[in-house]
Amino acid sequence: MEPSVSGGALVASNLSYVQPTESSAWGTFLAQVDRVTPFLGHLERWAETLRRPKRTLIVDVPIELDNGEFAHFEGYRVQHSLSRGPGKGGVRYHPDVTLEEVMALAAWMTVKNAAVNLPYGGAKGGIRLDPRKLSLKELERATRRYTSEIGVIIGPLQDIPAPDVNTDAQVMAWMMDTYSMNVGSSSPGVVTGKPIHLGGSLGRVKATGRGVFVMGCAAMRRLNMPVAGARIAVQGFGNVGSTVAELFAQAGAKIVAVQDSRGAVFNAQGLKISELAAHVAGHHGVADFSGGESMAREEFWDVGCDVLIPAALEGQIDVFRANRLKARLVLEGANGPTLPQADDVLESRGVVVLPDVICNAGGVTVSYFEWVQDFASFYWTEEQINQRLDKIVLDALDQIWEVSQKRRISLRTAAFVVGCERILTAHEERGLYP
Ligand code: GLU
């Protein structure tokens, strides 16, 4: 197949099995590694390992449809690094999922887990399917078959999947059950983000959004931006976008615009988030919400706001949009929403970007708590979870902010410095085997 060059020039591929472009997810990750490499000192000699996923698995996921026909889907699990501990990262169901995308998402998990100092490597998985086109039973069959197929490399001490785009606690329950049936004993620690009575953790559902909110408020304090009255625009109204919108609205900010895959809505006085959530539940998207004016999806990027929160998919902020944004602060709830060239534009315009690898780390942090609770079979209160979550992410933010100021680098490169130093130190200490 010819590599696509639509979103940018082809960049030199470092691997025979993918063809990244300047605007693709793996191309973006490689550019970010290029930017951190000069700051790694003696660890630079190990930096090539960041550019090579440790293990990539492609599986066929055949299922019987409700009408008796068969369908085949392509599934992936990539373990980017296992140097600091087991693989950890979500599973995504989306019609655009590719191996290259999953590689980048796995690599961002490695950096994220290290940047907030969780004892994990990084991994990610996905199935290339449109969940809206499958019944619940078909989705269950696809999930169970996928879990069996990747069962050769996952496990509570090997690699622990979790929810991501279009997967939730129900999907995790099916994964946990399938894995447990295959190994012959109940194995709650094989996935996180499970339902509470199957060993899930209180606070996990809202953890990613809560982390974005808590760190967002801390960043706003540093930038002398009051939260009360701040105008906020949110892209994506899934688990992360809806939670962060709700928390900022409760804190007195105005959610002036929300965009999702179906449309965009605007209200200068602030959208009523509980009403918007009820609308989205009934209509599968924000379009036609009566509590605001509808806009064309592209107009979202021109909205007057103080804070922009991309909480959807990667590659959303390109150079064109970066030049138009009005926000002073970007909080990356999504993974990989900003292209490297757009990062440069934002920096030159004085827009502060709190990067994904720290900004959305709240989810995996509470996943870590869930995993620890599963091993101990002893469960914490929501208050304990939230307190520990806040402490971990705020300490990480302080450290990364300091590195950014001291070394005069962006918060993204600073987060990569902190994360990659930990990853490559572990790699160096362990050495090569054999
Ligand atoms: N999918 C989430 C992320 O991108 C959470 C991963 C996890 O909890 O393992 O960070």
Side-chain angles (χ1 to χ4, degrees), residues 88-90 109 112 124 160-164 192 204 208 335 360 363-364 367:
K88 184 86 194 82
M109 288 308 306
K112 187 188 306 186
K124 202 84 170 198
I160 305 109
D164 195 74
T192 58
R204 175 62 186 86
T208 311
N335 291 307
N360 69 37
V364 70
S367 277

Side-chain angles (χ1 to χ4, degrees), residues 354-365:
L354 196 60
D356 49 5
V357 291
I358 159 117
C359 191
N360 69 37
V364 70
T365 301

Side-chain angles (χ1 to χ4, degrees), residues 180-237:
S180 298
M181 289 296 154
N182 285 344
V183 296
S185 58
S186 192
S187 208
V190 68
V191 290
T192 58
K194 297 177 294 295
I196 300 297
H197 39 275
L198 293 182
S201 178
L202 294 168
R204 175 62 186 86
V205 173
K206 295 200 168 180
T208 311
R210 184 183 166 91
V212 175
F213 169 71
V214 167
M215 284 182 277
C217 290
M220 289 170 82
R221 250 192 319 276
R222 287 173 181 271
L223 299 170
N224 289 320
M225 296 168 70
V227 174
R231 296 165 306 157
I232 300 189
V234 183
Q235 186 199 31
F237 204 70

Side-chain angles (χ1 to χ4, degrees), residues 332-353:
E332 293 188 337
N335 291 307
T338 311
L339 297 178
Q341 304 89 327
D343 259 337
D344 297 340
V345 172
L346 294 175
E347 200 171 351
S348 70
R349 294 186 57 215
V351 180
V352 174
V353 178

Side-chain angles (χ1 to χ4, degrees), residues 14-15 17-18 26 29 51-53 56 78 80 98-108 124:
N14 62 324
L15 299 163
Y17 51 91
V18 289
W26 186 246
F29 175 73
R51 302 168 157 276
R52 292 170 184 272
T56 64
V78 174
H80 172 261
T98 60
L99 173 64
E100 199 215 299
E101 182 195 30
V102 177
M103 282 165 53
L105 292 166
W108 284 320
K124 202 84 170 198

